[in-house]
Amino acid sequence: MELSTNKEMQVPIEPAEEKAVSPWLEAWRSFRKNKLAVIGTFIVLFFVLLAIFAPYIAPEGINEQKLTTSDRLQAPSSEYWFGTDDFGRDVFSRVVYGSRISLWVGFLAVIGSIVIGCLLGIVAGYYGKWVDSVISRFFDILLAFPSILLAIAIVAVLGPSLRNALIAIAIINIPNFGRLIRSRVLSVKQEEFIMAAKAVGMKNSRILFHHVMPNSIAPIIVQGTLAIATAIIEAAALGFLGLGAEAPNPEWGKMLSDARAFLTQAPWTLFFPGLAIVLTVLGFNLMGDGLRDALDPRMKN
Amino acid sequence: MLSYTVKRLLSLIPVLLGLTLIVFFMIRAIPGNPAQTILGQLATDEAVAALTKQLGLDQPWYTQFFHYLGGLFTGDLGESLRTKSPINEEIWPFLAATAELAFCAMIIAIVIGVNAGIISAWFQNSWFDYVAMILALIGVSMPIFWLGLMEQWVFAINLEWLPTSGRENVRAPIETITNFYILDTLIQGRMDQFWVVVKHLVMPSFALATIPMAIIARITRSTMLEVMKSDFIRTARAKGLRMFWVVYKHSLKNAIIPVLTIIGLQTGLLLGGAILTETIFSWPGIGRYIYDAINYRDYPVIQSGILIIAVIFVTINLIVDLLYAAIDPRIKYN
């Protein structure tokens, strides 16, 4: 099964007698049948579209202040769907624009940790020996911190900003991907086709990128989707603690901390940004679970 | 078992050293002169020089590191820049507050999570299973700070059942003995204060318990489903054993290892989550202590506070690892 995910290896194989179904197609079929996974995908798509078309969807900008009493801290109405905050800004518009920040941070941070984690993991797994010990100990040490705390510490050092929050989230996720790839490399290394590749004198880098990497894509996709979910929560948490996005950025976590003082007066200023976080994260979690069931049937229950 | 324990303890040494090194370099990684950053742009040159000396930044880094390391061995965690008192003395009440909160949260998470998982597996595909698993899915997707705020809105502001925040009634403070308020009030036989403490604990513990509860429920369910398919369970059923005992005795015993792993891991993560819960509920715990230190740029406190939490986290994971062998005789360590 692992062989056929590899395009290089598919070519020289004799055309199969009966039509072989690619594992990706098979995975897609099983994913499509999983109701929760499909719901999750739709939620994610919804927020992605919201982020892309934010200027067309949001009735107002992110920082259009209206400091009159008739516009400040207004309850949800037909004019202001999610009400207004203490600056008279439309909460709905801010939540819509906020999806841009959260998705951006989630994707970028996770891509960053995948790239660095994979490089370290491949090097550790493929070269072994002392390189492996050094890199593995490095992962152990990063994992010895509760992740959010490590992120807080990193931002405390770098200085609070959205960019630094993103960097911190990327760093704390590195060991997860690193370990994953390392173990994949170790198991793929034992496969006969790698031995064959070595025997014909293929270069290490070619073996790594043409044979080892394609065999590790499925678990990275699964882990990556779930990591985006946590990254979004972590970014919101840092924003909430005042260590992420700065005002007037409508980052959902930051919106929650700004609105905290109005919990009694205007609970809607807190309800909707939080709900947006829960839904987005839920979407990625459902999708990730579905992908895992589809791509790695051993994990299925 | 003994040799394994020793081996595991030895393997901790590089990790602990690495932890200390990272935490140590954090303060040195601040761009520019850390003393200047800590004191702000308006500080006089003398003040900056004095702080540089106090932090030992005028010495080569290896001298500084061994000095710090030496201090750690004698239990010296440095001195807070803000309060000027030794960190190892002032940290205890905060640690106790977090420990009390984390303990209650973990009890809630384990009792509800494990049972929900078991019942879901027992009655797979029933309405209970669906509702529990959907709730668990929402639970893992929940930012706990938002959940905490919503709890406050419902139970403190609207229903007025529970106090909004804090750990005690500030007008009637508790006499501290152990700093674990539940214990303190019980030792003193102050049942009135005991209830006050419990009421303050309810909301933050439930907020903190949500994520571990959801994860424990999901893991328990999936491992229980696996075990309940095994032959020996079918045999037990065929023997006519009551389903309750089959589930709670035979199956649970065999499903406990993954559940235990996740409980250990989550207990450690709880310490990180505590910083958010403590912020929402003004809980005077270690997370709050570190967070305040960040705002005051009190780097020695940040450094030592993070180090302590990391050490506790590593220790909990070690205990869980060692517990496996004690619980499951099939696991052999060589």
Side-chain angles (χ1 to χ4, degrees), chain B residues 13 24 32 36 98 109-110 125 149 196 203 207 209 214 229 238 253 284 325:
Chain B
I13 294 174
F24 170 81
Q36 183 79 59
T98 299
I110 293 172
N125 298 330
L149 289 167
V196 170
M203 284 201 299
K229 276 185 219 141
K253 214 173 174 180

Side-chain angles (χ1 to χ4, degrees), chain A residues 55-78:
Chain A
Y56 304 100
I57 296 166
E60 292 181 16
I62 56 162
N63 199 21
E64 284 175 25
Q65 305 188 3
K66 292 175 292 297
L67 295 169
T68 51
T69 18
S70 60
D71 284 315
R72 290 184 65 216
L73 296 173
Q74 289 304 298
S77 63
S78 57

Side-chain angles (χ1 to χ4, degrees), chain B residues 27 35 65 74 83 85 103-104 108 112 136 151 199 210 217 304 325 330:
Chain B
I27 188 168
F65 181 65
T74 54
T83 60
S85 38
F103 183 78
C104 292
I108 294 171
I112 301 181
E151 277 184 359
K199 274 186 172 177
T210 309
S304 297
R330 284 171 305 186

Side-chain angles (χ1 to χ4, degrees), chain B residues 28 39 73 111 114 135 195 228 258 260 287 298 321 323 326:
Chain B
R28 274 110 198 136
L39 293 170
F73 274 112
V111 170
V114 169
L135 283 181
W195 288 113
M228 283 166 78
L260 199 71
D298 193 345
D321 268 7
L323 267 181

Side-chain angles (χ1 to χ4, degrees), chain B residues 226-279:
Chain B
E226 203 115 300
V227 173
M228 283 166 78
K229 276 185 219 141
S230 4
D231 292 341
F232 76 93
I233 295 296
R234 200 171 342 116
T235 311
R237 293 268 290 137
K239 247 178 19 173
L241 204 60
R242 275 184 56 198
M243 196 57 189
F244 180 83
W245 293 113
V246 174
V247 170
Y248 271 86
K249 203 172 155 205
H250 294 67
S251 308
L252 187 58
K253 214 173 174 180
N254 286 282
I256 204 75
I257 293 277
V259 174
L260 199 71
T261 319
I262 219 73
I263 288 175
L265 195 66
Q266 290 299 319
T267 311
L269 289 174
L270 216 66
L271 295 168
I275 195 166
L276 292 157
T277 315
E278 288 171 6
T279 305

Side-chain angles (χ1 to χ4, degrees), chain A residues 111-130:
Chain A
I111 287 171
S113 23
I114 287 178
V115 170
I116 299 174
C118 284
L119 282 177
L120 289 174
I122 285 177
V123 171
Y126 198 77
Y127 293 101
K129 297 194 188 102
W130 67 270

